[in-house]
Amino acid sequence: MASLDLTADIVTLTRAVVDVPSESLEEAELADAVEAALRTCDHLQVVRDGHTIIARTELGRDERVVIAGHIDTVPLNDNLPSRLEGDTLWGLGTCDMKGGVAIALSLAAELSEPVRDVTWVFYEAEEIAAVHNGLGRIAREHPEWLQGDFAILMEPSNAGVEAGCQGTMRVEIRTTGERAHSARSWMGHNAIHDLAPVLATLAGYSPRTVDIDGLTYREGLNAVGVRGGVSGNVIPDEAVLTVNYRFAPDRDEEAALAHLREVFSGHELTVTDSAPGALPGLGRPAAAAFVEAIGGEVGPKFGWTDVAKFTLLGVPAVNYGPGDPRYAHKADEQVPVEHLHRVHDRLREWLSGH
Amino acid sequence: MASLDLTADIVTLTRAVVDVPSESLEEAELADAVEAALRTCDHLQVVRDGHTIIARTELGRDERVVIAGHIDTVPLNDNLPSRLEGDTLWGLGTCDMKGGVAIALSLAAELSEPVRDVTWVFYEAEEIAAVHNGLGRIAREHPEWLQGDFAILMEPSNAGVEAGCQGTMRVEIRTTGERAHSARSWMGHNAIHDLAPVLATLAGYSPRTVDIDGLTYREGLNAVGVRGGVSGNVIPDEAVLTVNYRFAPDRDEEAALAHLREVFSGHELTVTDSAPGALPGLGRPAAAAFVEAIGGEVGPKFGWTDVAKFTLLGVPAVNYGPGDPRYAHKADEQVPVEHLHRVHDRLREWLSGH
């Protein structure tokens, strides 16, 4: 069984976490190691649910912050074990998001008396279908475990604060026709041709940009898949276009769908996937204080992340973690060593009060 | 080994031919039976090339007619052995085109002194990729075997004469973009959206109708397939639309492609499949005499058939055979018994002179 030395320097600890493979649904070994290491800390109350581990300080502080990271990764892509080259640490999970997990583990062990109570959350199965997501399960079954004044999700954000997140909705637009031999096409009705006005709408669509709390969110409406055709000599009787709408967090899912129904009026829409956005909530005192303490510019989060789960629980949340998200899920996944040190230092300062 | 009694009545002989399975590339048993039966006829000169058998009369007549049929079928679809129910014969190949093959075999054996010399052609592998086609191979390697004043292809044509055939061309129209995460779609370029003007062109296209030799050919230009998309959260960098153009035989393949380039100007076209049409040639004396003798209305052939191979050899050709082509390649494949008798009788009359 793997074991983790939480007192090691942050690069060494990150490598140790990275080098325990933990593809989604295969997090048992890493979860065991995380649990065992945290249980050695007398200042933490540790609970485990599945492969999700939660460790809390109970110091009676005025404020509680929830700091969360997922311990699973996408599948191996010939990019383990980790490799340190100069200023860069390479390997599966270095960016998404074992760098953030290692920082959280390090500070959970080190800070026995933080100025804010902390709920450390290490959860499973973020990279696969939502039904498996450990944070989602806790939010449904034990929402009280996630309560706090503020939450930080340590997804890669280039070591800067990214606030809120955009929502995402996928719909299928299906056209139906009538089959015929293509040598006698007038006896049928071509479903692919019926996509013409839908694609024209998409090509001519102007997405919104929305200012919220001083951040500018940019929406997007895009075809992400199209399929149709029976064989090379048959007029197709069905075509399906999959459209992905990324919407600013001033719209909820209902408003997003209403917008799509208006844009594609006259067409049948089937929602295949949907997740709400999260408002940045930077006006809340806890969030404002965090941003103030961390310093630097705050940006909007365009991609969807689990911060939305905290928003649904009424907890303002931001993304803050090491790594450039463009390297997530890539064979050349990597994290700058400087990010690991910077995020580690800044979080320690904010939590320890000096 | 199967054997065929060519003196049996036409329904019995058709059933016998149908009941020797001969899916494309597996024609050996049926080809052997056809060859053996024809070799018993002293008035025929028989040659075999692969599983293609050619039997000729050599009576020194003024005119030679080539009568051809393919002996292969599409794969079994739980529709053998043959089944006679009332006025209908059911089973794989009854329509496409063992009814026609049986009529040709019957007349080849019976008519020892036809008023026109006849070249009977029973060929393999029409239902699969063109490279296997027995008639195509003979046309390339022994074109003199197919020479004649007129040719009849016994493909199903509802026991009426269908003249010429339309050409067919398939092209792929490919659009290219640039991948990006769909949460940051402005960093990419959506290839599916770029199909919008292509589909608009197709949806608004008015196909030609063309009169040739008193027949009206109807063209068609249709999308028969579309594909694109990387995953649900990626802006797609490629989309491919497959378009099938069925063109009247006044256009050759070059003219057809030039037309497509004009219609889709500005887009890259890749020809994936092409076959020329065949002019009806009803002005030629042999063809006119045949139509006159057979009687009934002549229609245009919209689908592509091997008559085009005769056209390329300079031999006017028509489609004339029992069966409704709509039942070809169907599980409920069938031929009306009346078609078998009618085509059998008419051809006998025309070839025997009474």
Side-chain angles (χ1 to χ4, degrees):
Chain A
M1 175 181 145
S3 76
L4 298 171
D5 174 7
L6 303 189
T7 67
D9 71 276
I10 191 59
V11 175
T12 301
L13 180 55
T14 299
R15 295 191 67 172
V17 175
V18 167
D19 288 337
V20 181
S22 59
E23 185 177 335
S24 306
L25 302 183
E26 294 172 16
E27 302 95 337
E29 185 180 3
L30 182 56
D32 290 348
V34 166
E35 181 186 7
L38 292 172
R39 285 203 188 278
T40 65
C41 303
D42 292 338
H43 62 282
L44 295 174
Q45 296 192 1
V46 178
V47 294
R48 176 167 176 164
D49 182 285
H51 296 322
T52 294
I53 293 115
I54 295 179
R56 303 163 54 97
T57 62
E58 295 285 4
L59 300 165
R61 304 295 196 218
D62 290 342
E63 199 175 76
R64 174 172 293 279
V65 56
V66 184
I67 300 179
H70 63 82
I71 62 172
D72 64 318
T73 69
V74 295
L76 189 64
N77 192 359
D78 196 23
N79 49 3
L80 278 185
S82 63
R83 190 161 46 83
L84 183 64
E85 279 182 11
D87 300 333
T88 304
L89 180 62
W90 302 76
L92 177 62
T94 50
C95 170
D96 186 14
M97 56 174 283
K98 290 182 170 180
V101 165
I103 291 168
L105 285 169
S106 173
L107 297 178
E110 176 188 345
L111 302 178
S112 56
E113 294 199 341
V115 294
R116 299 162 168 84
D117 269 317
V118 185
T119 303
W120 304 97
V121 180
F122 303 93
Y123 66 100
E124 72 211 85
E126 191 268 352
E127 298 289 6
I128 54 175
V131 63
H132 301 287
N133 187 301
L135 190 66
R137 189 180 67 248
I138 302 297
R140 285 191 305 274
E141 298 179 6
H142 308 284
E144 68 283 5
W145 295 1
L146 299 178
Q147 281 306 319
D149 300 283
F150 183 55
I152 300 168
L153 189 66
M154 298 196 69
E155 288 274 6
S157 64
N158 274 311
V161 177
E162 292 184 341
C165 76
Q166 297 204 123
T168 178
M169 178 172 286
R170 259 176 287 273
V171 298
E172 286 186 350
I173 300 175
R174 191 176 307 266
T175 54
T176 53
E178 195 184 339
R179 286 193 198 187
H181 196 289
S182 66
R184 297 171 177 268
S185 53
W186 57 91
M187 299 184 72
H189 179 91
N190 196 314
I192 294 177
H193 293 192
D194 285 354
L195 286 180
V198 184
L199 286 185
T201 296
L202 280 168
Y205 183 83
S206 294
R208 294 192 310 157
T209 59
V210 183
D211 287 327
I212 306 172
D213 288 359
L215 307 178
T216 302
Y217 290 90
R218 293 182 67 167
E219 298 196 334
L221 183 66
N222 274 276
V224 291
V226 63
R227 63 180 194 272
V230 177
S231 77
N233 59 5
V234 174
I235 302 303
D237 57 351
E238 182 177 276
V240 180
L241 188 75
T242 305
V243 172
N244 184 209
Y245 179 34
R246 298 285 178 150
F247 51 97
D250 65 327
R251 281 191 171 153
D252 61 14
E253 292 166 283
E254 194 180 349
L257 181 56
H259 177 64
L260 293 184
R261 288 203 195 284
E262 190 184 326
V263 168
F264 300 112
S265 68
H267 290 275
E268 181 194 342
L269 267 57
T270 306
V271 177
T272 57
D273 186 43
S274 172
L279 286 162
L282 295 179
R284 302 252 207 139
F290 174 74
V291 169
E292 172 76 19
I294 294 298
E297 210 167 311
V298 180
K301 188 74 175 178
F302 294 116
W304 189 90
T305 79
D306 270 336
V307 296
K309 292 196 168 70
F310 289 103
T311 299
L312 289 176
L313 295 171
V315 182
V318 298
N319 300 279
Y320 176 59
D324 183 333
R326 286 178 303 180
Y327 290 109
H329 305 192
K330 297 287 176 62
D332 61 347
E333 189 169 345
Q334 57 188 270
V335 68
V337 167
E338 187 273 326
H339 281 195
L340 296 174
H341 287 300
R342 176 151 43 119
V343 173
H344 191 236
D345 292 347
R346 296 272 168 84
L347 263 188
R348 184 203 283 113
E349 286 165 20
W350 183 63
L351 290 173
S352 63
H354 50 80
Chain B
M1 174 180 144
S3 75
L4 298 172
D5 174 7
L6 304 189
T7 67
D9 73 274
I10 191 58
V11 175
T12 301
L13 180 55
T14 298
R15 296 191 67 169
V17 174
V18 167
D19 288 337
V20 181
S22 57
E23 183 177 337
S24 305
L25 302 183
E26 294 172 16
E27 302 96 335
E29 185 180 3
L30 182 56
D32 289 349
V34 166
E35 181 187 6
L38 292 172
R39 284 199 187 278
T40 65
C41 303
D42 294 336
H43 63 281
L44 295 175
Q45 296 191 1
V46 179
V47 294
R48 176 167 176 164
D49 182 286
H51 295 321
T52 293
I53 292 116
I54 296 180
R56 302 161 56 93
T57 62
E58 296 284 2
L59 301 165
R61 304 293 195 218
D62 290 342
E63 199 175 76
R64 174 172 294 278
V65 57
V66 183
I67 300 180
H70 63 83
I71 62 173
D72 64 318
T73 69
V74 296
L76 190 64
N77 192 0
D78 196 24
N79 48 4
L80 279 185
S82 63
R83 190 161 46 84
L84 183 64
E85 277 181 13
D87 300 331
T88 304
L89 180 63
W90 302 75
L92 175 63
T94 49
C95 171
D96 186 15
M97 56 173 286
K98 290 183 169 180
V101 165
I103 291 168
L105 285 169
S106 172
L107 297 179
E110 175 187 346
L111 302 177
S112 56
E113 296 198 341
V115 295
R116 298 163 170 84
D117 269 316
V118 185
T119 303
W120 303 96
V121 180
F122 303 93
Y123 66 100
E124 72 211 86
E126 191 267 352
E127 299 289 5
I128 54 174
V131 63
H132 301 287
N133 187 300
L135 191 65
R137 189 179 65 247
I138 302 297
R140 283 191 306 273
E141 299 179 4
H142 307 284
E144 69 281 7
W145 294 1
L146 300 178
Q147 282 306 319
D149 299 283
F150 182 54
I152 300 167
L153 189 66
M154 298 196 69
E155 287 275 4
S157 62
N158 273 311
V161 178
E162 291 184 341
C165 77
Q166 295 204 126
T168 178
M169 179 172 286
R170 259 175 288 273
V171 297
E172 287 187 349
I173 300 175
R174 189 176 308 265
T175 54
T176 54
E178 195 184 338
R179 285 193 198 188
H181 196 290
S182 67
R184 297 171 177 268
S185 52
W186 56 91
M187 299 183 73
H189 179 90
N190 196 313
I192 294 177
H193 293 192
D194 285 354
L195 286 180
V198 184
L199 286 185
T201 296
L202 280 168
Y205 181 85
S206 294
R208 296 191 308 158
T209 59
V210 183
D211 287 326
I212 307 173
D213 288 359
L215 306 178
T216 301
Y217 290 90
R218 292 182 69 169
E219 296 197 335
L221 182 66
N222 275 276
V224 291
V226 64
R227 63 180 196 273
V230 177
S231 77
N233 59 5
V234 174
I235 302 304
D237 58 349
E238 182 176 275
V240 180
L241 187 76
T242 304
V243 172
N244 184 208
Y245 179 35
R246 300 285 179 151
F247 51 97
D250 65 327
R251 281 191 172 153
D252 61 14
E253 291 165 283
E254 193 180 349
L257 181 56
H259 177 63
L260 293 184
R261 289 202 194 286
E262 189 184 328
V263 169
F264 299 112
S265 68
H267 290 275
E268 182 194 342
L269 268 59
T270 306
V271 177
T272 58
D273 186 42
S274 173
L279 285 163
L282 295 178
R284 303 252 207 138
F290 174 75
V291 170
E292 171 76 19
I294 295 298
E297 210 167 311
V298 180
K301 187 74 174 178
F302 295 117
W304 188 90
T305 79
D306 270 335
V307 294
K309 292 195 169 67
F310 289 104
T311 299
L312 289 177
L313 295 171
V315 181
V318 299
N319 300 278
Y320 177 59
D324 183 332
R326 287 178 302 180
Y327 290 109
H329 305 192
K330 298 285 177 63
D332 61 347
E333 190 170 344
Q334 57 188 271
V335 67
V337 166
E338 187 273 325
H339 281 194
L340 296 175
H341 288 301
R342 176 151 44 119
V343 173
H344 191 234
D345 291 349
R346 296 272 168 85
L347 263 187
R348 183 203 284 111
E349 287 165 21
W350 182 63
L351 290 172
S352 65
H354 51 82

